[in-house]
Amino acid sequence: MSGGTLYFDWAATALPDETIIREAADTAISYYANPSSQHKAGKLAREKLEEARSCCAKALQVPSNTLFFTSGGTESDQIVLLSFLQRPKTGNILISNIEHPAVREQAHMLAYCGWKIREIPVDDSGILTPQTVVSAIDSDTAAIFIMAVNNETGAIQPLHEIIQAVRTNAQSGRHIWIHADCVQAAGKIPVSLTEWDIDSAAFSAHKLGGPRGIGMLYMRRRLEPFLKGGGQELGMRSGTENIFGAWGLSRCLQKYLFTTETNSTAMQRYYEQHKYCAEFIETLRNIPGCTIIPAQRGSTDIPEDRFSPWIVQASFKGVPGEVMVRALSEQGIYISTGSACSSKKKQRPVLDAMRIPQDIAQNAVRFSFGPATTHSDMQTLAQAVRAVASLFYSGKR
């Protein structure tokens, strides 16, 4: 880390991959024209845009015509959600009750247009079960939105099992659209859209060290977009295309995305991180007054592989979350209290959904890691957290 700082807020945004950012900037300078222009420069820019799309398709192992560049994960989620406003009759949409605000807030806006939004409850560990999802489906269910990896607790949802259960139990052979927010999954856990049998999924470049303001929507078959414009991205997302962002995203997916089969080095790092994370959690547990959220994480009942090894949430008795963040920040150690998108509201809907007691929730902080985080960094973080907590327990602060 630069300047003597230690960065543990990767779930909010990753440290920039300088090589990728510079390459994307050089590409944008060289291919400066509007990709929709009909002159030679425009056609060259179009070729570069499509090259980026093909690179993304290869990384995700899906056809190029199923991928659409967007402004980020939020827009990718919302394009799918808003498409249901085009339908001639309303129904209900199911979302997990730990969704990111990009889905949760937009879904509730659809309620003003006649749609019923039903929240599927997670268990105390923040994980959905296939049985819970299936039991929430009725004859009016049109779509289900499930976050692949929760951005606060790191809970990995069993998407493949849930989708299999939905497909098997859907009434009268109806096809229920299933969308996954994969923003915290890509590059962090094995991702396979075809194996999951998912209908659509959202991705974001800046969580992978790429540019901000660029994301991608995977859509296995087209939905009619609610918002219209110039018709770019086959009409799914109008607006002048972002060559800089698209090229950066393509390189990020190429470098960081992995499945269990395609990238043995990334899988090895994934398993290694699980080991480091388990050690980090055990060290925190030994700090007086510490509660890991969920408390069952790493137990024999809920094995550690049900959680992303890149995100850990914990609470420290008597130490408000914002105080822990400030105290560590003064030492050049950066963590967060939770989702950056909700931090100003000081609300913890994810922890509320998990039925975490208020005194624990208000003291909760999130530690999130990335490719540049070393084992030594995590050990230093644990020692710093212990030191801050001990000041409060001893009454010296």
Side-chain angles (χ1 to χ4, degrees):
M1 308 288 174
S2 61
T5 63
L6 290 173
Y7 185 72
F8 301 104
D9 198 19
W10 290 75
T13 195
L15 291 178
D17 185 312
E18 292 187 31
T19 301
I20 288 176
I21 296 292
R22 294 184 190 282
E23 181 184 345
D26 290 343
T27 301
I29 291 170
S30 298
Y31 298 88
Y32 53 85
N34 189 318
S36 296
S37 295
Q38 294 304 303
H39 47 65
K40 183 177 179 180
K43 290 179 179 178
L44 289 173
R46 167 61 58 184
E47 289 175 4
K48 210 63 180 175
L49 180 71
E50 295 310 318
E51 185 181 340
R53 196 188 316 275
S54 295
C55 181
C56 293
K58 184 177 180 181
L60 288 164
Q61 299 181 314
V62 297
S64 293
N65 63 2
T66 62
L67 298 178
F68 307 93
F69 291 113
T70 68
S71 66
T74 293
E75 187 182 28
S76 297
D77 288 330
Q78 293 179 351
I79 286 173
V80 179
L81 270 167
L82 291 173
S83 72
F84 288 93
L85 294 177
Q86 294 282 83
R87 299 203 171 187
K89 83 171 192 176
T90 60
N92 66 60
I93 292 174
L94 307 182
I95 67 173
S96 80
N97 64 351
I98 57 166
E99 287 301 304
H100 188 277
V103 168
R104 184 178 66 248
E105 299 300 325
Q106 189 64 65
H108 289 150
M109 288 301 296
L110 264 66
Y112 290 105
C113 300
W115 283 86
K116 293 179 181 178
I117 306 302
R118 296 166 59 188
E119 294 193 357
I120 315 169
V122 295
D123 61 21
D124 291 346
S125 65
I127 296 175
L128 286 169
T129 66
Q131 296 78 12
T132 303
V133 176
V134 169
S135 65
I137 296 171
D138 64 23
S139 59
D140 290 327
T141 301
I144 303 172
F145 287 74
I146 299 173
M147 209 173 184
V149 175
N150 186 263
N151 59 312
E152 293 194 36
T153 67
I156 300 173
Q157 302 305 332
L159 272 175
H160 183 54
E161 293 84 352
I162 289 171
I163 294 169
Q164 281 188 314
V166 171
R167 302 290 188 231
T168 301
N169 292 277
Q171 300 177 14
S172 304
R174 290 186 308 115
H175 184 86
I176 296 174
W177 192 275
I178 303 177
H179 174 86
D181 183 324
C182 291
V183 168
Q184 294 291 346
K188 301 297 179 64
I189 68 169
V191 170
S192 178
L193 300 179
T194 52
E195 181 182 338
W196 290 348
D197 192 24
I198 200 83
D199 291 301
S200 57
F203 299 89
S204 179
H206 78 98
K207 305 293 189 182
L208 293 166
R212 296 174 187 176
I214 186 72
M216 175 156 277
L217 170 63
Y218 163 73
M219 193 175 288
R220 183 162 57 181
R221 58 186 177 87
R222 280 178 60 91
L223 291 172
E224 187 63 26
F226 178 73
L227 297 177
K228 309 290 184 179
Q232 291 89 345
E233 294 300 301
L234 298 178
M236 289 305 305
R237 197 273 179 179
S238 294
T240 302
E241 299 92 338
N242 178 358
I243 294 287
F244 168 68
W247 195 259
L249 173 58
S250 72
R251 288 298 179 257
C252 285
L253 290 177
Q254 183 181 55
K255 183 174 181 178
Y256 295 110
L257 192 83
F258 66 100
T259 69
T260 53
E261 296 86 18
T262 60
N263 193 325
S264 59
T265 301
M267 280 301 299
Q268 182 179 354
R269 178 70 177 93
Y270 175 64
Y271 291 129
E272 187 178 65
Q273 181 62 23
H274 265 298
K275 181 177 71 173
Y276 296 158
C277 187
E279 178 187 305
F280 177 72
I281 289 172
E282 193 58 33
T283 302
L284 293 185
R285 274 205 173 100
N286 290 328
I287 297 175
C290 175
T291 300
I292 301 298
I293 302 174
Q296 311 96 312
R297 181 169 179 176
S299 70
T300 53
D301 293 333
I302 306 176
E304 177 59 23
D305 63 7
R306 294 308 309 148
F307 296 88
S308 168
W310 308 97
I311 298 175
V312 174
Q313 183 148 210
S315 177
F316 300 86
K317 186 176 181 180
V319 189
E322 292 181 355
V323 173
M324 178 66 79
V325 170
R326 286 200 305 272
L328 292 177
S329 181
E330 289 170 2
Q331 303 175 49
I333 298 173
Y334 304 138
I335 66 168
S336 69
T337 54
S339 170
C341 297
S342 299
S343 60
K344 292 182 180 179
K345 299 178 182 179
K346 298 183 180 180
Q347 297 173 346
R348 304 306 298 268
V350 170
L351 302 190
D352 290 344
M354 294 168 60
R355 297 167 289 280
I356 302 297
Q358 283 299 309
D359 59 330
I360 294 177
Q362 70 181 3
N363 294 344
V365 291
R366 179 184 67 184
F367 311 103
S368 52
F369 318 110
T373 308
T374 67
H375 183 209
S376 176
D377 291 338
M378 295 175 71
Q379 291 177 317
T380 300
L381 171 62
Q383 292 168 3
V385 170
R386 177 184 289 276
V388 172
S390 67
L391 288 176
F392 283 84
Y393 301 147
S394 64
K396 295 180 180 178
R397 177 111 179 198

